[in-house]
Amino acid sequence: MGTTGQLAAVPEPKYWHLRTVLLRAIDTEFSTGQVLPNERELSARFGVARATLRQALDQLELEGRLVRRRGIGTLIAAPRVGVPVNRHEEGWPGTARSQAWRTVDCTTAPATARLAKALGIAEGATVHTVRRVRLVQGQNMATESLHVPAAALPHLPGFRAESDRARSVLRQLERLEVDGESRAVELGVAEAEEAALLERPPGSPVLVMTTQYAAAGRLVALAVSTYRADTCKLTFGEAGVVEVTPVGAPVGAATGAAAEVRTAS
Amino acid sequence: MGTTGQLAAVPEPKYWHLRTVLLRAIDTEFSTGQVLPNERELSARFGVARATLRQALDQLELEGRLVRRRGIGTLIAAPRVGVPVNRHEEGWPGTARSQAWRTVDCTTAPATARLAKALGIAEGATVHTVRRVRLVQGQNMATESLHVPAAALPHLPGFRAESDRARSVLRQLERLEVDGESRAVELGVAEAEEAALLERPPGSPVLVMTTQYAAAGRLVALAVSTYRADTCKLTFGEAGVVEVTPVGAPVGAATGAAAEVRTAS
DNA sequence: CAGTGGTCTAGACCACCAA
DNA sequence: TGGTGGTCTAGACCACTGT
């Protein structure tokens, strides 16, 4: 970024060209955690309006390359964290490192039309909903709403305090023999409470993962998880693949490198 | 949207409030394919600058609720298409409905440092790369670069024309007994050629899926796929889950409904 | 051609943070 | 308090679309 940033007259928009220039600078002249010059200076240096510069920064932030902090500055982001979303590794309550999840609250209420349809139950049927937050490296990385029809948990003890009920629901769920899950992943934005739980402003991009858990041919749970898209990379592992040794290196070792192939090559 | 759009003094930004108002209008007063009033009229109606209105529309477009077409207008988007990304259903070359993929080109070249690391092979080793485009309902929904070390395809016939070579690589790949795959999904933006293949402007959000295929303990292929985030919802099915009948409805039937649970309950 | 969204500008003020 | 990013404005011009 030593140049004064000449922006030749090109057919592509200025902000896109700017993004490219900045991206190269990030890759070659900066490292994680460093702060970029402030927006007013950058826009002056490149001879564009601040709004145009910000459009370029918006792109780079969406790509997870920058983090902007009000009052602080614009920093180079750390590479995205690979977050395993396999039930047997992380997702299912109580399994192994389940400390990663922190229960926020738990409600028991009749299903709305929407929820009933998604769970394949009658509208108004009782459903337990556990909201949780997933912590990765001490950071809130995801929120989840876990919906479980009361009918799927026949042995649930009677009324309890909210935190106890949440525990009970999760424990009962563990005992079911879940024999399959089907998932969907799409792009979304964090709204009010969700955004607050993720410690991000409303409108922040998230990866929305919808998981249906089946046991004995029945749909026993529906989880809707929202992962911070800026810092997360969802990884779907298969037990069969991990730990084998390919031509040169273990498959696991290549996992990190694989995601970087797309850029520049 | 009958009101003149009073924007009370609220702690939240105008564009976010606007988004909420527009979202409700979209849900209640418009249907797929309808065109919204133009930006200048909308901004006047809500008493904000056009740039502010556009910020709200940007959000709704990111959520896949709107489609903006230059020269035409802003339309209500169709619900996202669920795209199966299971190897046995769609992903693997030649399997079942493989007509869905159209080969763009095929190159054979020494691996760059980056690619070599991701494939676990030596830098400079020969790698076949097949670029394909995935068609869903006649639309280009994804691009893919499939990297295969030449060493993994010992029986590949000698030199051929490009299109023939692509076919050969895919066919050889089918014959391998792939016994596992591991995936990662993250948010990205479409760059130049990629954007062109997806028929979207540069900078459009995409879901980047990185898949490693293993056979006999070796990493035999690396696929980097970019799916249009505006119109795609990636679905990961499991053979075990589909076609069972839960309490009220088949699991499959609930798949579409599940994704809508997040909004408004 | 007239109408649409896409880009860009120059400036203002606000909310937040560190010192 | 001074500096940062976040929001908002009013206006201009461009690129693309259909008639």
Side-chain angles (χ1 to χ4, degrees):
Chain A
M1 204 144 48
T3 82
T4 313
Q6 70 288 5
L7 292 176
V10 279
E12 67 187 357
K14 278 187 188 177
Y15 78 87
W16 185 253
H17 185 221
L18 245 184
R19 167 205 168 267
T20 306
V21 172
L22 288 170
L23 187 54
R24 185 165 45 236
I26 290 172
D27 281 330
T28 63
E29 302 174 32
F30 291 88
S31 54
T32 300
Q34 274 194 294
V35 305
L36 248 52
N38 73 55
E39 297 183 349
R40 287 161 181 90
E41 173 172 344
L42 279 179
S43 57
R45 192 186 304 191
F46 287 104
V48 300
R50 193 177 152 218
T52 303
L53 172 77
R54 281 182 58 81
Q55 225 178 325
L57 296 181
D58 285 344
Q59 286 282 346
L60 292 167
E61 195 178 26
L62 197 66
E63 297 173 58
R65 304 302 305 265
L66 294 179
V67 179
R68 294 193 272 186
R69 297 211 194 132
R70 190 192 304 222
I72 304 288
T74 302
L75 330 178
I76 312 299
R80 289 205 178 109
V81 187
V83 182
V85 291
N86 258 27
R87 167 168 43 99
H88 296 297
E89 290 188 38
E90 273 290 354
W92 202 243
T95 315
R97 313 166 240 173
S98 81
Q99 276 72 1
W101 291 96
R102 184 175 65 76
T103 298
V104 174
D105 57 24
C106 176
T107 62
T108 299
T112 61
R114 227 172 191 144
L115 184 52
K117 194 178 164 203
L119 282 171
I121 59 177
E123 182 174 349
T126 304
V127 173
H128 303 290
T129 298
V130 179
R131 275 208 304 173
R132 304 191 290 173
V133 170
R134 182 166 181 176
L135 300 166
V136 177
Q137 300 173 5
Q139 279 277 317
N140 289 12
M141 288 301 235
T143 70
E144 179 179 275
S145 289
L146 186 63
H147 306 281
V148 188
L153 303 179
H155 307 304
L156 194 73
F159 177 84
R160 293 170 166 217
E162 182 178 307
S163 67
D164 289 337
R165 200 167 63 244
R167 253 193 296 278
S168 294
V169 170
L170 294 176
R171 218 169 306 164
Q172 288 290 317
L173 219 44
E174 287 174 49
R175 295 195 185 137
L176 294 175
E177 281 190 11
V178 172
D179 45 38
E181 60 204 58
S182 86
R183 292 205 165 88
V185 174
E186 63 183 313
L187 178 58
V189 304
E191 304 203 27
E193 315 105 280
E194 224 166 48
L197 287 173
L198 293 176
E199 300 165 331
R200 300 261 30 186
S204 306
V206 290
L207 296 171
V208 182
M209 185 172 75
T210 311
T211 311
Q212 297 172 302
Y213 296 98
R218 284 154 165 260
L219 217 178
V220 295
L222 170 67
V224 181
S225 319
T226 61
Y227 286 81
R228 286 179 54 161
D230 56 345
T231 51
C232 284
K233 175 176 57 176
L234 307 184
T235 63
F236 301 77
E238 271 189 12
V241 190
V242 190
E243 306 303 351
V244 286
T245 307
V247 187
V251 177
T255 304
E260 293 170 26
V261 171
R262 185 165 158 265
T263 321
S265 170
Chain B
M1 207 146 46
T3 82
T4 312
Q6 70 288 2
L7 291 178
V10 278
E12 67 187 358
K14 278 187 186 176
Y15 78 87
W16 186 253
H17 185 221
L18 245 183
R19 167 205 168 265
T20 307
V21 172
L22 289 170
L23 187 53
R24 187 165 43 235
I26 290 171
D27 281 330
T28 64
E29 303 173 32
F30 291 87
S31 54
T32 300
Q34 273 193 295
V35 306
L36 248 51
N38 72 57
E39 296 183 350
R40 288 162 181 88
E41 173 173 345
L42 279 179
S43 57
R45 191 186 304 189
F46 287 103
V48 300
R50 194 178 151 217
T52 304
L53 172 78
R54 280 181 59 80
Q55 225 177 326
L57 296 181
D58 285 344
Q59 287 282 347
L60 292 166
E61 195 179 26
L62 196 66
E63 298 174 58
R65 304 301 305 264
L66 294 179
V67 179
R68 294 193 273 187
R69 297 209 196 135
R70 189 192 310 221
I72 305 288
T74 302
L75 329 179
I76 311 299
R80 289 207 178 108
V81 188
V83 182
V85 290
N86 258 27
R87 167 168 44 100
H88 296 297
E89 290 187 37
E90 272 291 354
W92 203 242
T95 315
R97 313 166 239 173
S98 80
Q99 277 72 1
W101 291 96
R102 183 174 65 75
T103 299
V104 174
D105 57 24
C106 176
T107 61
T108 298
T112 61
R114 227 172 192 144
L115 182 53
K117 194 178 163 203
L119 282 170
I121 59 177
E123 182 173 349
T126 304
V127 173
H128 303 290
T129 298
V130 179
R131 274 208 304 174
R132 304 192 291 173
V133 170
R134 182 166 180 174
L135 300 165
V136 178
Q137 300 172 6
Q139 280 276 316
N140 289 12
M141 288 301 234
T143 70
E144 180 180 275
S145 288
L146 186 63
H147 306 280
V148 188
L153 303 178
H155 308 304
L156 195 72
F159 177 84
R160 293 170 166 218
E162 182 178 307
S163 66
D164 288 337
R165 200 167 62 244
R167 254 193 296 279
S168 294
V169 170
L170 295 176
R171 216 169 306 164
Q172 288 290 317
L173 220 43
E174 287 174 49
R175 295 196 185 136
L176 293 176
E177 282 191 11
V178 172
D179 45 37
E181 59 205 58
S182 86
R183 291 206 167 88
V185 174
E186 64 183 314
L187 178 59
V189 305
E191 304 203 28
E193 315 105 280
E194 223 167 48
L197 287 172
L198 294 177
E199 299 165 331
R200 301 261 27 183
S204 305
V206 290
L207 295 170
V208 182
M209 185 171 74
T210 311
T211 311
Q212 296 172 302
Y213 297 98
R218 283 153 165 260
L219 218 178
V220 294
L222 170 66
V224 181
S225 319
T226 61
Y227 286 81
R228 286 179 54 161
D230 55 345
T231 51
C232 284
K233 175 175 58 178
L234 307 184
T235 64
F236 300 78
E238 271 189 11
V241 191
V242 190
E243 307 303 352
V244 286
T245 307
V247 188
V251 177
T255 304
E260 293 170 26
V261 172
R262 185 164 159 265
T263 320
S265 173

